Amino acid sequence: MSRLLVALLWVLHWLPLSLQATIGRGFGALLFHLARSRRHVAEVNLRLCFPEWTEEERRAVLREHFRLLGRSILERGVAWFAPAERIRRLVRLEGKEGVDAIRAQGRPVILLVPHFLGLDMGGTRVAMEYDGVYVYSRQKKDPVADHWLNWGRSRFGDQLQVARQDGIRPVVRALRAGRPLYYLPDLDYGRKESVFVPFFGVPAATITALSRLARLTGAAVLTCVTEILPDGKGYVTRFGEPWKDFPTEDEVADAARMNRWLEGEICRMPAQYYWVHRRFKTRPPGGASVYRTRA
């Protein structure tokens, strides 16, 4: 991420969200043509996850995904620079009373946050309500992005940022101290601490830390999904009900349950999931790469 892009986000954040949305969708349409490698990844993901769709159906979702991806990039400036009052107006919370009720009981809370395109805006809004803990991956190759991503997540309240590379212990301590965990465990983080469970019927390397953290801390797991509303009408962040009978003694079954739940959310708004990530990069032993381009 360049400093020029950060400056552009600062300029754009002053505009009405409806106008930013129009610009963002145009930017995303441009990315569809320019970011060929990412488009290829998204094409493969959609083909693997939705083989029953026609090529036209997948293409339509792919194009809309890039338009929304463009929005999510440019509207990040609102999360980074806009005053709290504006963000409260733009991001509506639903189901917060369920989170508050569990916290009032003194029980730790894990918010299961999948990689939908609105998650950064949702994370900023959630940070206005709770002093939480966030797990992130250091952007060693892009210190500018590393700085601004952490800035956006910590500009309100007293937020604790824990690098994924630092392990699980700081997160456990924070949960036991009463900090809600804003947790994003649904990407391919490699073979270490992962199991292969189905994701839309395809074996996907899935980390098991969600059930381990819940078991170690006695935390309740609640889902937290942020949806981008059309036409610049804002965002809505929805907290789900606490998961029952979770965790179990079977981490593989717990990981499979998480993926099944995520499949349902994706089917509700397929264009908003983060398809440009190589979700199936790590293959089971002997499995060939699914992203290799033809010669």
Side-chain angles (χ1 to χ4, degrees):
M1 177 181 292
S2 69
R3 290 177 172 82
L4 181 60
L5 176 57
V6 174
L8 176 63
L9 299 186
W10 182 83
V11 171
L12 291 176
H13 97 274
W14 295 99
L15 300 176
L17 192 65
S18 57
L19 182 53
Q20 287 190 65
T22 300
I23 297 171
R25 288 178 67 84
F27 175 58
L30 182 63
L31 287 178
F32 176 85
H33 295 286
L34 297 180
R36 294 182 179 180
S37 62
R38 288 295 180 178
R39 188 180 70 208
H40 170 70
V41 169
E43 287 172 339
V44 172
N45 287 336
L46 288 169
R47 186 169 65 247
L48 290 172
C49 292
F50 299 101
E52 72 280 9
W53 288 2
T54 66
E55 284 294 331
E56 290 77 14
E57 288 171 329
R58 285 194 291 268
R59 195 73 169 178
V61 168
L62 181 66
R63 286 183 177 276
E64 180 63 11
H65 171 70
F66 270 86
R67 295 186 191 104
L68 291 170
L69 178 63
R71 277 194 60 183
S72 72
I73 293 172
L74 297 190
E75 290 173 26
R76 197 168 281 168
V78 176
W80 291 355
F81 303 118
E85 295 75 13
R86 186 183 183 200
I87 296 174
R88 289 184 192 277
R89 290 196 306 269
L90 293 177
V91 186
R92 185 174 78 251
L93 299 182
E94 294 183 358
K96 178 179 176 293
E97 60 278 1
V99 180
D100 294 340
I102 292 173
R103 298 190 73 229
Q105 300 169 8
R107 187 179 180 188
V109 169
I110 298 175
L111 298 176
L112 169 55
V113 185
H115 277 78
F116 285 97
L117 295 175
L119 73 87
D120 280 310
M121 192 73 81
T124 299
R125 181 66 181 86
V126 170
M128 295 179 183
E129 304 296 326
Y130 307 111
D131 292 335
V133 54
Y134 294 71
V135 179
Y136 74 101
S137 295
R138 291 194 184 100
Q139 307 293 316
K140 295 181 180 179
K141 297 181 180 180
D142 193 343
V144 174
D146 193 69
H147 168 78
W148 285 104
L149 287 170
N150 286 325
W151 159 260
R153 294 165 184 159
S154 60
R155 61 187 293 238
F156 297 111
D158 176 24
Q159 310 305 324
L160 176 64
Q161 302 279 355
V162 176
R164 188 175 301 280
Q165 297 88 338
D166 292 338
I168 201 173
R169 290 184 180 179
V171 179
V172 171
R173 288 196 296 268
L175 276 167
R176 289 174 174 168
R179 289 180 178 268
L181 170 62
Y182 197 78
Y183 195 45
L184 293 70
D186 61 311
L187 298 188
D188 186 335
Y189 294 108
R191 199 173 300 274
K192 185 179 180 181
E193 298 182 1
S194 293
V195 296
F196 286 97
V197 293
F199 181 56
F200 285 101
V202 182
T206 306
I207 58 174
T208 58
L210 178 66
S211 59
R212 284 189 287 122
L213 284 168
R215 186 178 303 109
L216 285 169
T217 63
V221 174
L222 293 82
T223 59
C224 179
V225 177
T226 298
E227 179 179 357
I228 303 174
L229 300 177
D231 304 321
K233 294 179 180 178
Y235 297 70
V236 56
T237 297
R238 299 183 178 94
F239 300 102
E241 295 291 327
W243 277 6
K244 297 180 180 179
D245 303 318
F246 189 92
T248 68
E249 296 300 317
D250 187 341
E251 291 185 344
V252 176
D254 291 344
R257 176 179 176 179
M258 180 183 75
N259 281 358
R260 287 194 303 272
W261 166 78
L262 179 55
E263 290 170 10
E265 291 298 303
I266 291 172
C267 288
R268 188 172 62 83
M269 46 181 186
Q272 297 203 25
Y273 193 58
Y274 193 62
W275 293 116
V276 293
H277 169 71
R278 292 190 290 175
R279 183 63 185 88
F280 305 108
K281 177 183 178 180
T282 305
R283 306 307 302 135
S289 170
V290 298
Y291 299 111
R292 188 174 299 157
T293 57
R294 295 177 180 177

